Amino acid sequence: MNKLTVALSLTLTVTLMATGCKTSSTEKNQEKEVKASIKSPVRFNSDSAYAYVKRQVAFGPRVPGTEANLKCREYIVNELERHGAQNITTQTTEVTAYNGDRLPIANIMASYNPESSDRIILLAHYDTRPWADSDPQEDNRMLPVPGANDGASGVAVLLEMARQFNTITPPIGVDLLFVDAEDYGQASGFSTHDDSWGLGTQYWVANMPYASDSLPRYGILFDMVGGMDAKFHREYFSDEEAPKVVDKVWSVAARSGFGDRFINKSGGAVVDDHVFLNRAGIPTIDIIESKNSETRSFAPTWHTLNDNIQNIDPSSLKAAGQTVLNVIYNEIQCKK
């Protein structure tokens, strides 16, 4: 899936959209209060999020076209329905992977506070890589990755947030997007095969349910947010295309007690689903562990059979989920 690139060859040509509102003096005072003290009416439940990870892993590897992938898709839809999401849609198609494999895929989308014209989008991928090509044991490298962190963790955060949105309606519109076929890309030659990754997102971008004048104000991608003692550095493309969103999220994290998890330093460049949303004009950032203290890039379990439930840290899920909940529930709605 996500490739940490050394040569930053990907050129993004979209002009950065504004991520803030034109605020009145009253709204500016509210913003000052938010800066002084982050308060949220909802509390992210790390045990609930961990259970969501565990349930997905129990299906088996969610490789596109497999029964496990289909079961996971149905599970996500059922949970969204249970948590009061509206406008739940499943976008199905068939895409061709870099190696010629034809993949039946499905992207899932849902909304909260659909009446609001001021919207943001949160996303994660639910598929898993078909090959553990980074496993230290050569015999394991053609086996599928369990995908507890790389896939299930981001989905788990979104589902727990959906549970909270159903309790207290967010002040702005929130769209949730669960994408397929993110992790079927070509591992060799990272900088020349960027478009072999994020196949589901690329299809979604080409068929977005938004008009050009009604795009979400910004987007946040969750990927590999459940690793042991995960640290989230500022990702390069996020900083290039949506610096105000990065500033907002990392500032809220610090004021929410998660400054030790959201490190205010560069974490390198990652080709991930957010790249394609940025190309489409939605300034989107990636919350991802990409500068692990041991590997200097992704977590040691990345693309190995050790990406399992035993290597999921509920406190990492909490840091990512509560931070973004705090961002959302302290937003001031833009008037359009």
Side-chain angles (χ1 to χ4, degrees), residues 77-276:
V77 171
N78 289 339
E79 287 301 296
L80 291 171
E81 291 174 345
R82 189 164 74 92
H83 296 321
Q86 299 184 55
N87 303 330
I88 302 172
T89 58
T90 301
Q91 177 193 59
T92 59
T93 190
E94 188 174 83
V95 297
T96 303
Y98 75 94
N99 60 357
D101 289 353
R102 295 291 294 171
L103 309 176
I105 68 167
N107 299 320
I108 305 159
M109 193 168 178
S111 299
Y112 287 89
N113 193 4
E115 296 79 15
S116 175
S117 60
D118 181 22
R119 312 198 64 75
I120 66 169
I121 185 167
L122 310 176
L123 68 154
H125 77 92
Y126 69 92
D127 65 299
T128 56
R129 186 154 178 79
W131 320 281
D133 42 354
S134 292
D135 198 279
Q137 297 188 32
E138 187 173 355
D139 290 347
N140 292 339
R141 292 175 189 168
M142 291 308 293
L143 299 175
V145 176
N149 191 25
D150 193 355
S153 67
V155 170
V157 168
L158 291 191
L159 291 178
E160 171 58 14
M161 294 178 79
R163 194 173 73 87
Q164 301 296 339
F165 295 149
N166 191 38
T167 303
I168 300 178
T169 302
I172 56 174
V174 179
D175 295 326
L176 302 181
L177 176 61
F178 303 82
V179 294
D180 202 354
E182 189 276 339
D183 221 351
Y184 217 97
Q186 184 168 350
S188 61
F190 295 165
S191 62
T192 57
H193 300 296
D194 295 341
D195 286 356
S196 70
W197 304 90
L199 300 180
T201 300
Q202 292 186 62
Y203 182 81
W204 180 85
V205 162
N207 300 273
M208 285 193 301
Y210 305 114
S212 59
D213 60 350
S214 62
L215 296 175
R217 187 165 17 130
Y218 61 86
I220 299 175
L221 168 64
F222 295 90
D223 201 351
M224 296 197 291
V225 291
M228 289 295 176
D229 193 30
K231 303 292 195 294
F232 309 118
H233 289 70
R234 299 171 66 113
E235 188 275 328
Y236 174 83
F237 294 123
S238 304
D239 255 342
E240 284 290 298
E241 299 301 316
K244 292 181 180 179
V245 184
V246 178
D247 288 343
K248 180 201 296 268
V249 172
W250 264 248
S251 175
V252 168
R255 298 197 305 276
S256 301
F258 299 116
D260 62 330
R261 295 303 192 104
F262 282 76
I263 310 302
N264 200 24
K265 296 179 180 178
S266 174
V270 183
V271 176
D272 205 348
D273 294 306
H274 68 307
V275 166
F276 305 106

Side-chain angles (χ1 to χ4, degrees), residues 4 289-302:
L4 194 64
E289 182 180 4
S290 60
K291 200 171 185 180
N292 181 272
S293 59
E294 178 181 336
T295 66
R296 308 311 301 168
S297 59
F298 300 130
T301 62
W302 177 69

